[in-house]
Amino acid sequence: MSKPKTAQQLAVDNLIVKHLAGSHSYGTAIASSDVDYRGVFVGDPINVRTPFFRVDEVNVTTEEDTKLYELSNFMKLAVDCNPNIIETLWVDDSSIVKEHPAFSLLRQAAPQLLSRRIAFTTVGYALSQLKRIKGHNKWINSPQPEQKPQAVDFVSMVQHFTQPNERATMPRDFDLRKFMDGWRLIPFGKDTFGLYRYEGRTPFNESTGSLNDDFEDESRVGLGAPTYVVKFNRQEFEDAKLRWEQYWEWKRNRNETRSALEEQHGFDTKHAMHLVRLLRMGYEAVTEGVIRVKRPDAEELLSIRNGAWTYDQIVEYAEDMNSLVETAVDRSDLPKQGNLLLAAKVVLQVQDAVWDIGSSGHGDV
């Protein structure tokens, strides 16, 4: 028995198809667009018929962005109507750079492998784009400050025990920062404290904004009533930190060109383009039983990327199309689920063709 081939070698020797993917397959590529390739290969019998040398996918190390899927893994994802996967079965001939004759078996089966799930997967991907658009729009219009949220800013007053003659001078909005010197927090319970006058102490760290909680061995006996009872709003603080971290992570990783478009239009226009494309592809699939990878509306999609639609138009279109697709699903001629028996048959046929073992289904391990 010979040593099993590496995943990289399998992708070369047993390639079924390799094609341009992404914007180059949709017809929406611009000068700065990455050149992506996707495709399918067949594992050798030892990879498929034994559990020891399984290969699901491979990133071709000699190319910038080429991802190839082993046939069994590919077919499972295709039957589940994963939008990025099923496109391979419908990609335009002009996008194909290499193919095995067995690829025609996949092409022929493509319409029968399509199911109503395509509506939910495309709309699901589209709505995830909408969520990102809304999030980025919020960040653009309400940017986070450079300083990280500090605990001291999330303390509110619950009760006070001030004297009547002091109440006129009480701050309307409680701010622990105004109690920097000569005060101390004493714990009353979970995230609740008494704020006492306490010479030589401070209730928070001025440099970090964190609360001073070095009082485990302290007792309230003899201290009497505090001037204030305050609460640390921990969850609000944690949520604010998360928003701050997400904003600055997004800010650091923004593509310069897309960043300029976002600043100009108030949202990520590339996400908007993909949102519209996915919704239309989902609608076409459930109403016509086809997936148009190479887009006949490519020029309009590019205009959306360049800011032809407003933020409000994008949101309204997404909501309208979502409703339209939901209605179309109920009337669709597509089956509810993919044809697993057909998918299995095609997998066996393609394997036989690539292994060149005829119809017996037996290959040397």
Side-chain angles (χ1 to χ4, degrees), residues 35-330:
V35 180
D36 304 334
Y37 292 98
R38 296 293 178 267
V40 185
F41 68 97
V42 175
D44 278 344
I46 196 170
N47 308 116
V48 175
R49 297 173 59 192
T50 78
F52 308 114
F53 303 98
R54 179 172 171 172
V55 177
D56 285 336
E57 58 188 54
V58 60
N59 292 307
V60 178
T61 56
T62 56
E63 298 178 12
E64 184 175 352
D65 195 349
T66 298
K67 189 167 189 175
L68 307 175
Y69 295 85
E70 201 283 324
L71 176 64
S72 295
N73 183 37
F74 169 83
M75 190 60 82
K76 182 179 184 302
L77 295 169
V79 170
D80 287 341
C81 290
N82 180 305
N84 293 331
I85 298 298
I86 204 167
E87 287 176 0
T88 293
L89 301 178
W90 299 85
V91 71
D92 192 77
D93 288 340
S94 62
S95 297
I96 296 175
V97 294
K98 290 182 183 178
E99 67 177 304
H100 186 282
F103 181 53
S104 63
L105 297 171
L106 291 173
R107 286 279 218 191
Q108 291 165 15
Q112 295 170 276
L113 294 174
L114 204 56
S115 72
R116 296 184 195 182
R117 281 188 57 80
I118 189 64
F120 305 108
T121 55
T122 52
V123 169
Y125 274 51
L127 294 183
S128 70
Q129 298 285 348
L130 181 61
K131 184 178 180 180
R132 295 173 73 178
I133 289 170
K134 288 182 175 179
H136 292 187
N137 176 261
K138 179 179 65 178
W139 284 341
I140 291 167
N141 293 313
S142 302
Q144 290 285 313
E146 292 189 10
Q147 184 182 38
K148 192 172 184 176
Q150 297 184 324
V152 65
D153 294 314
F154 292 83
V155 176
S156 58
M157 182 177 68
V158 177
Q159 191 175 2
H160 69 86
F161 297 95
T162 55
Q163 298 301 315
N165 63 340
E166 297 178 302
R167 291 173 190 171
T169 60
M170 280 180 57
R172 292 193 177 188
D173 296 318
F174 183 84
D175 184 353
L176 192 61
R177 291 185 182 276
K178 296 178 180 178
F179 299 83
M180 180 63 195
D181 298 316
W183 293 83
R184 189 176 188 189
L185 292 172
I186 302 294
F188 272 34
K190 181 175 173 58
D191 294 332
T192 304
F193 308 89
L195 183 60
Y196 289 85
R197 294 186 184 279
Y198 214 109
E199 289 300 321
R201 302 305 294 264
T202 180
F204 65 94
N205 185 308
E206 188 174 18
S207 60
T208 65
S210 58
L211 304 184
N212 286 335
D213 54 1
D214 54 340
F215 35 57
E216 288 82 357
D217 59 346
E218 291 287 336
S219 168
R220 301 201 325 258
V221 175
L223 291 177
T227 306
Y228 301 94
V229 177
V230 299
K231 179 182 178 182
F232 172 42
N233 301 291
R234 186 179 298 275
Q235 191 57 55
E236 291 181 19
F237 172 58
E238 295 297 334
D239 291 344
K241 276 201 308 182
L242 180 61
R243 288 193 299 270
W244 185 89
E245 290 165 357
Q246 289 175 336
Y247 172 81
W248 287 104
E249 178 70 16
W250 165 74
K251 191 83 171 175
R252 282 191 298 270
N253 296 325
R254 292 170 83 192
N255 175 280
E256 288 187 11
T257 302
R258 290 173 68 175
S259 173
L261 286 171
E262 281 186 321
E263 295 293 345
Q264 181 180 352
H265 302 289
F267 63 99
D268 190 322
T269 54
K270 185 175 180 181
H271 283 327
M273 175 184 69
H274 288 308
L275 163 73
V276 173
R277 175 184 59 79
L278 283 163
L279 288 169
R280 289 178 178 177
M281 289 174 74
Y283 182 74
E284 292 163 1
V286 294
T287 56
E288 302 176 50
V290 299
I291 294 179
R292 295 189 179 92
V293 179
K294 189 169 185 179
R295 299 303 305 162
D297 53 353
E299 288 190 16
E300 184 184 14
L301 292 174
L302 282 170
S303 74
I304 293 171
R305 177 182 175 135
N306 290 330
W309 291 16
T310 66
Y311 172 77
D312 289 338
Q313 283 178 299
I314 292 294
V315 173
E316 182 180 2
Y317 183 83
E319 292 171 349
D320 290 346
M321 280 297 291
N322 184 28
S323 298
L324 198 61
V325 172
E326 287 180 354
T327 302
V329 168
D330 295 333

Side-chain angles (χ1 to χ4, degrees), residues 25-37:
S25 64
Y26 305 139
T28 57
I30 60 176
S32 59
S33 295
D34 295 334
V35 180
D36 304 334
Y37 292 98

